[in-house]
Amino acid sequence: MLQACLNGAHDPAQVAGLPVTPAALATEAAAAVAAGAAELHIHPRGPDGAESLAPGDVAAALDAVRAALPGLPVGIGTGAWIAPGGRARHASMAAWTTQPDYASVNLGEPDALEVMTLLTRQGVGIEAGLWNQTDAARFLAEAAPSACLRIMIEMQDVASEAALREADTILAMLADAGIDRPILLHGEGRSAWAMVARAAALGLDTRIGLEDVTHMPDGRPATSNADLVAAARKIMAEHGVGA
């Protein structure tokens, strides 16, 4: 499965073509799906362009994307940095009137387990985000893997070789623990394309989009999420992974 991550926390002034408004998200989502994405991950924004978990802003983003792509799974981020930040954002999530299909939770954040419980109560699937071995150890010791839709191994903007070593170690930790949940492996910046290739080689899910990387595999600037998705599909096809 290839997921498109359309915008993330980037400043639109720094990333050309970054979708921010509900209408722009819907347009980019449709183009990404046409290029080969099977699921979506978005970061809703408020009228001021800042990331938001407020019920109205979440509903506006989800409604626009779902109107353009009925039935397609759509998830959102829940990062602790999103205003008002930390546990103060729980009230916004608890008040959602329109629910995403799933939401990512960063195990490196202090309130991760609380957010997971909140999402479960609301019937929202959980993508458990593991950035490193410490996150993986916490997930294995404290979380309920069976309650998660999938596990996301999320390599940061580091050299590909270091990211591959870290990802392989985390995969081994999960395997040794007997974890039997779908795994989505992806990277950011310098590690993004190496993770797409490794995921394809291992038969794992992956993701790509302007949230994760703003350059094509050959180093050229990416012009859209659809271009990134098409490039990821090509890499997957080279490893024998179809749509």
Side-chain angles (χ1 to χ4, degrees):
M1 186 273 292
L2 177 59
Q3 184 184 90
C5 49
L6 302 182
N7 59 350
H10 292 301
D11 181 346
Q14 302 298 318
V15 179
L18 190 79
V20 173
T21 67
L25 283 167
T27 298
E28 280 286 295
V33 169
E39 291 190 5
L40 299 169
H41 173 85
I42 63 175
H43 286 223
R45 306 285 182 117
D48 61 355
E51 287 183 88
S52 174
L53 293 171
D57 297 331
V58 170
L62 292 175
D63 288 348
V65 172
R66 286 171 172 161
L69 298 160
L72 194 81
V74 186
I76 68 173
T78 64
W81 61 84
I82 301 174
R87 291 178 173 83
R89 75 198 192 288
H90 294 191
S92 294
M93 290 186 275
W96 287 341
T97 55
T98 300
Q99 309 288 351
D101 294 289
Y102 48 84
S104 60
V105 181
N106 302 317
L107 265 291
E109 295 175 352
D111 64 341
L113 299 180
E114 297 165 59
V115 173
M116 293 170 78
T117 297
L118 188 158
L119 293 172
T120 298
R121 288 174 178 166
Q122 295 179 216
V124 177
I126 296 168
E127 293 183 316
L130 314 181
W131 292 14
N132 49 48
Q133 295 175 51
T134 300
D135 291 353
R138 183 188 185 194
F139 175 76
L140 293 172
E142 302 178 27
S146 62
C148 297
L149 173 68
R150 66 174 62 96
I151 300 167
M152 291 203 302
I153 300 176
E154 307 188 82
M155 294 297 95
Q156 303 305 294
D157 183 9
V158 299
S160 298
E161 295 79 7
L164 288 165
R165 288 193 298 271
E166 183 77 358
D168 287 346
T169 299
I170 294 171
L171 285 166
M173 292 172 68
L174 297 175
D176 289 346
I179 301 300
D180 184 23
R181 301 305 304 152
I183 294 175
L184 188 156
L185 171 63
H186 76 99
E188 297 182 1
R190 288 170 289 168
S191 70
W193 293 111
M195 293 304 104
V196 170
R198 179 56 62 90
L202 296 176
L204 303 176
D205 297 334
T206 191
R207 82 177 199 186
I208 204 71
L210 289 172
E211 173 174 352
D212 284 352
V213 65
T214 58
H215 64 269
M216 302 293 283
D218 63 4
R220 290 180 297 112
T223 60
S224 68
N225 283 291
D227 283 350
L228 293 169
V229 168
R233 272 292 171 209
K234 182 177 180 181
I235 292 171
M236 294 168 73
E238 290 169 352
H239 286 83
V241 179

